[in-house]
Amino acid sequence: MKLWRKTTVLFLCICCGILLYCKPKANPTFEKDIAPIVYQHCSNCHNPNGIAPFSLLTYEQVKKRAKTIAFVTKNRNMPPWPADPHYSSFVGENILTQNQIELFQKWLQTGCLPGNLSKAPKTPEFHYKSFLGKPDLVLDFKDTLFIQGNRLDKFYIMKFPFELDRDTFVKAIEFVPGNTKVVHHVNGHIIQYETGKKTNIYDGKHIVSSESIEAEELYKQLHVANDDGTYPVLTQSAINYLPGVLPTLYPEGLVGTRIKKQGAVLFKDIHYGPSGRDTFDLSRVNIFFTAKKPKRIARELQMGTLGITDIVPPLVIPPNTVKKFTTQAKINKDISILTINPHMHKLGKSFWAYALKPNGDTIPLIKIRDWDFNWQYFYTFKKMVKIPAGSIIMVEGVFDNTINNKMNPFHPPREVSERAGSMRASDEMFQFIITLLDYQTGDENISLEP
Ligand code: HEC
């Protein structure tokens, strides 16, 4: 064969190889093609202990829903990942490739072939109501909480006391919602009792409706104070939950929280969205200890609603409009960002945040093109992001108060505003929470993959 013919044949072979590799196989099977995708991208939520309403573990379970699966994966509704992966990327990013999406389509069209099921990858097991494995301590509601179906928001303060055998460190705290249809948010703190300061940490009420009661009266009813009437130390925002939030876990020993052996988790507060029918909730808190003393203590910068920066213009969204708002924060000393959380309610349409460096360069933080109220993750960067002193963090949110927005709580649309930081789901919020450290040399090379 002449050399040029040899080269052409080789070239054609490579092209065919690439085509075959990129094009979904003619007859995909559960064994070879579908199970690996489902186990990697779906089963951690779709299992009997997970947050999704049904399991995707066995051939039968996946086959039964093959049609809906083909639909929701094509629309990129599942797996849920609102952040634009071309703008910035995060730990645990869960996105299907175009090829994987087409495999689901093909599998459906060719009759959901099982393949040789005995050779399929091992079905993953999920033994705990947790994303992180076996919790060291579980604090749960003593009893189910009744939620009246009167279409009103409900707010409670709850106290979950605990006693350990010594002071220790916590590497992760996870809130696991019982009833995901109504749990809207949790902001949780840790009460730290100094040894000998309180005789009975279990004293007082454990749950109080927080509507129209002053904080002081609430604390009285919960018997939060020490025996002598002074207040214990409160570690703020140790747990945050919003719809769809998964727990944040940093590498062992990097950042964490110290806890005293006597303490309590304090929800201040837990918010249930409106429900049209009577229902119940039985949520829980999982705590994961670590023997390693964390090297650094993270803190939060909260922008926008209830935060340190103003929203421009003030957050008022007239009916039948799509309107843009911004909020900015000047950073005075070098910081390292670990995690960010964009937050809006049901009129949210898009969210964009970046940092503008003093030299005019931008550092991308997050872009969400289609805001999804149901998935409000705390996004952890793969490596810490350094923001140099003098930078400005710019946040832009667009809200859609027209009938085109399927989530609009009002028909016809009404004026919706922030109402002094009201957390009701029918009021709006525009908030950006940043978890950060003071910058240290080399931070930008530290991986945050747990
Ligand atoms: C982060 C958790 C999570 C992951 C990961 C996830 N799902 Fe889901 N999925 C859910 C939840 C929660 C619901 C229920 C949503 C609701 O009730 O509105 C759901 C609903 C669904 C539905 C029903 C949709 C409908 O309209 O009836 C399908 C089908 C589905 N998921 C398939 C998948 C597939 C396939 C994957 C992986 C490629 C996946 N999911 C990954 C949490 C998840």
Side-chain angles (χ1 to χ4, degrees):
M1 230 193 300
K2 288 215 180 89
L3 183 66
W4 68 268
R5 274 172 75 190
K6 263 193 196 163
T7 332
T8 316
V9 170
L10 187 70
F11 177 74
L12 283 174
C13 286
I14 291 173
C15 285
C16 289
I18 291 174
L19 271 175
L20 277 175
Y21 180 76
C22 294
K23 232 181 123 219
K25 286 188 222 152
N27 290 315
T29 62
F30 183 79
E31 171 215 342
K32 287 212 161 69
D33 309 282
I34 299 300
I37 309 177
V38 170
Y39 295 166
Q40 193 191 338
H41 294 276
C42 320
S43 303
N44 65 340
C45 293
H46 288 274
N47 70 72
N49 281 316
I51 55 171
F54 53 86
S55 292
L56 292 176
L57 291 169
T58 64
Y59 168 67
E60 297 300 330
Q61 287 165 346
V62 180
K63 182 185 170 202
K64 190 173 137 203
R65 303 198 189 251
K67 216 167 151 183
T68 344
I69 291 175
F71 182 76
V72 295
T73 49
K74 193 171 176 198
N75 289 343
R76 293 196 179 273
N77 293 333
M78 285 287 149
W81 190 265
D84 179 350
H86 304 297
Y87 190 68
S88 51
S89 56
F90 301 96
V91 172
E93 194 164 76
N94 192 357
I95 294 169
L96 298 182
T97 63
Q98 197 53 38
N99 188 40
Q100 289 173 320
I101 291 173
E102 281 166 24
L103 275 171
F104 279 119
Q105 304 289 319
K106 253 274 145 56
W107 190 58
L108 176 68
Q109 289 155 12
T110 50
C112 303
L113 298 175
N116 183 349
L117 290 181
S118 64
K119 284 199 181 144
K122 199 168 158 285
T123 314
E125 291 178 32
F126 300 89
H127 295 292
Y128 307 100
K129 277 198 181 307
S130 168
F131 267 93
L132 303 177
K134 184 175 191 287
D136 297 309
L137 176 67
V138 176
L139 304 169
D140 57 9
F141 291 15
K142 290 274 166 320
D143 199 356
T144 46
L145 179 72
F146 173 67
I147 310 216
Q148 202 190 343
N150 56 3
R151 297 183 193 281
L152 294 177
D153 289 271
K154 294 169 190 69
F155 298 84
Y156 295 98
I157 308 270
M158 295 189 190
K159 181 179 85 167
F160 303 89
F162 59 80
E163 220 157 1
L164 312 171
D165 52 11
R166 62 196 153 90
D167 296 354
T168 182
F169 301 97
V170 164
K171 63 177 174 189
I173 307 187
E174 174 183 35
F175 173 81
V176 185
N179 187 339
T180 49
K181 292 219 158 46
V182 287
V183 180
H184 171 269
H185 82 240
V186 172
N187 187 13
H189 314 297
I190 300 180
I191 304 174
Q192 315 261 16
Y193 287 110
E194 289 296 329
T195 312
K197 284 283 211 172
K198 187 160 178 87
T199 326
N200 184 1
I201 57 166
Y202 300 95
D203 215 13
K205 289 188 182 169
H206 289 203
I207 166 165
V208 179
S209 163
S210 66
E211 283 153 275
S212 56
I213 304 190
E214 293 295 322
E216 184 127 20
E217 174 57 26
L218 277 168
Y219 285 148
K220 227 181 239 165
Q221 294 193 13
L222 293 167
H223 290 212
V224 164
N226 293 315
D227 291 345
D228 63 5
T230 57
Y231 279 104
V233 168
L234 197 66
T235 304
Q236 300 272 353
S237 295
I239 319 166
N240 287 301
Y241 177 82
L242 289 163
V245 159
L246 309 181
T248 305
L249 180 66
Y250 296 118
E252 190 94 27
L254 183 63
V255 287
T257 311
R258 166 189 279 280
I259 54 168
K260 303 297 271 178
K261 69 178 188 180
Q262 279 194 319
V265 165
L266 181 75
F267 287 176
K268 186 178 178 294
D269 42 13
I270 177 166
H271 171 195
Y272 293 97
S275 172
R277 26 179 188 141
D278 288 356
T279 182
F280 295 91
D281 180 38
L282 192 61
S283 297
R284 52 145 74 190
V285 176
N286 293 331
I287 300 186
F288 300 82
F289 299 129
T290 171
K292 258 196 176 167
K293 182 173 188 275
K295 286 200 206 83
R296 298 162 75 181
I297 305 282
R299 55 174 205 279
E300 278 188 354
L301 170 72
Q302 192 164 318
M303 296 173 61
T305 308
L306 301 170
I308 56 155
T309 63
D310 290 335
I311 300 173
V312 184
L315 190 59
V316 179
I317 313 148
N320 307 308
T321 59
V322 175
K323 198 168 165 181
K324 184 163 97 183
F325 299 85
T326 60
T327 187
Q328 311 186 348
K330 176 114 189 251
I331 300 301
N332 296 321
K333 56 179 177 176
D334 294 356
I335 58 167
S336 298
I337 299 186
L338 306 170
T339 299
I340 52 178
N341 170 245
H343 179 51
M344 306 199 274
H345 289 174
K346 298 189 171 176
L347 297 186
K349 183 177 168 64
S350 64
F351 195 105
W352 182 23
Y354 58 93
L356 200 57
K357 295 210 289 195
N359 69 3
D361 289 352
T362 54
I363 304 172
L365 295 176
I366 191 164
K367 196 178 255 182
I368 296 178
R369 293 173 193 275
D370 285 304
W371 176 255
D372 187 339
F373 177 81
N374 292 315
W375 298 103
Q376 310 206 22
Y377 295 132
F378 281 71
Y379 294 90
T380 297
F381 287 100
K382 290 188 172 161
K383 284 185 178 166
M384 293 189 199
V385 175
K386 177 186 177 182
I387 308 289
S391 302
I392 299 173
I393 296 188
M394 316 275 281
V395 187
E396 184 182 301
V398 177
F399 293 82
D400 181 349
N401 193 3
T402 70
I403 46 165
N404 300 332
N405 177 355
K406 286 193 214 79
M407 295 293 274
N408 200 326
F410 300 112
H411 288 268
R414 278 195 230 159
E415 179 181 285
V416 172
S417 66
E418 193 177 37
R419 271 217 259 159
S422 153
M423 303 228 183
R424 278 163 222 282
S426 56
D427 293 333
E428 263 308 327
M429 280 177 84
F430 176 40
Q431 196 176 57
F432 191 52
I433 300 176
I434 304 173
T435 310
L436 58 94
L437 301 169
D438 290 332
Y439 175 77
Q440 287 179 6
T441 311
D443 271 0
E444 53 276 74
N445 301 321
I446 297 182
S447 162
L448 295 174
E449 305 268 358

